[in-house]
Amino acid sequence: MTNLISIFLSSASQGILWALLAIGVFLTFRILDIADLTAEGSFPLGAGIAAMSITKGFHPFVACFLGFLGGTIAGLVSGLLHTKLKIPALLAGIITMTGLYSVTSRIMGAPNISLLGQNTVFLWLQSTGLSKENAVLIIGLIVALLVVTLLVLFLRTEVGLALRATGDNLAMSEANGIYTDTMKIIGYMISSGCIALSGSLLAQNNGFADLNSGIGTIVIGLASIIIAEVLFKNLPLFLRLLTIILGAIIYRFILALVFELNVQPSDSKFASALVLVLCLSFPSIQQKLKRPTRKKLKGDA
């Protein structure tokens, strides 16, 4: 039981940081109804910018903000490719993701950057006597709640409502005079910014930034969203965003339990893939189980 609690606390501390990525994916996937793969490029970009900033002497919180700004620029590029050059959203994300690999490599100057011995956003709480997991949990929760609150306030403004309308009905939004291209670009920027912020915090938690850390991040975000939507339905926007945080924690907890089964390091990616398949296919399985069986008519055999 003690081991289970320890696994859950570890999963919760990691899951809250991954939740920022899931919230970013939610903005494009659910709010704008766009399949955007920029996440796999903006995540390591945020991590690389934050790591380089910290090693250059910047305050960790400033490093996180710079990582967030880097992500918004990546989102701007994807948005411009999609709206101005009329490149399909999926291809625009792939193009940006591919280009960001070189950009991140140039920023970092190496495949990975170690943050061992460097100051991080979690270190000042650890200095008060808290364990690293508890420090990560508290900081992650504060940042996640702040991001969720700001997003909800923004999405209730005139611009935010226009952005939501663009995702709900593009043709009707254009007919009502909404600059849908501008709304899409704003959505791209906020989404990639949240994803890069997640990368910034996770790099500091892990103690390093890696050039290839973005591989598979989009699927992690989608799994967290789907878990939240399966367990919690028809909720207001604020509560819906909070459930995404829970979805990310649950996903990390399931993954941690799988790894407790003495999975070989070489099979870890396969185990992760199986967990993702279960998470992503669960809504379809649940729908089939709830489907009422056809009642036999009187003339049936």
Side-chain angles (χ1 to χ4, degrees), residues 84-126:
K84 303 305 179 184
L85 299 183
K86 305 303 177 184
I87 298 174
L90 189 61
L91 289 177
I94 292 172
I95 292 169
T96 306
M97 174 187 69
T98 305
L100 284 175
Y101 186 90
S102 296
V103 172
T104 306
S105 177
R106 178 76 66 173
I107 291 171
M108 293 174 61
N112 55 70
I113 297 174
S114 174
L115 292 175
L116 294 177
Q118 299 287 343
N119 189 23
T120 67
V121 294
F122 313 111
L123 194 60
W124 65 277
L125 264 183
Q126 288 179 254

Side-chain angles (χ1 to χ4, degrees), residues 7 104 125 141 163 165 171 187 197 223 239 249 296:
I7 293 171
T104 306
L125 264 183
L141 189 60
L163 189 149
L197 179 60
L239 293 178
I249 292 173
K296 287 187 176 182

Side-chain angles (χ1 to χ4, degrees), residues 3 25 35 37 64 92 125 127-128 149 154 198 218 243 267 272:
N3 189 37
V25 173
L37 287 178
C64 289
L125 264 183
S127 63
T128 63
T149 303
F154 168 72
S198 175
I218 183 69
T243 60
D267 297 330
S272 301

Side-chain angles (χ1 to χ4, degrees), residues 46-98:
I49 291 175
M52 279 300 297
S53 300
I54 290 172
T55 57
K56 295 294 183 182
F58 285 86
H59 192 279
F61 284 107
V62 175
C64 289
F65 180 70
L66 292 175
F68 173 82
L69 286 182
T72 60
I73 295 172
L76 174 63
V77 172
S78 288
L80 291 174
L81 290 175
H82 175 50
T83 59
K84 303 305 179 184
L85 299 183
K86 305 303 177 184
I87 298 174
L90 189 61
L91 289 177
I94 292 172
I95 292 169
T96 306
M97 174 187 69
T98 305

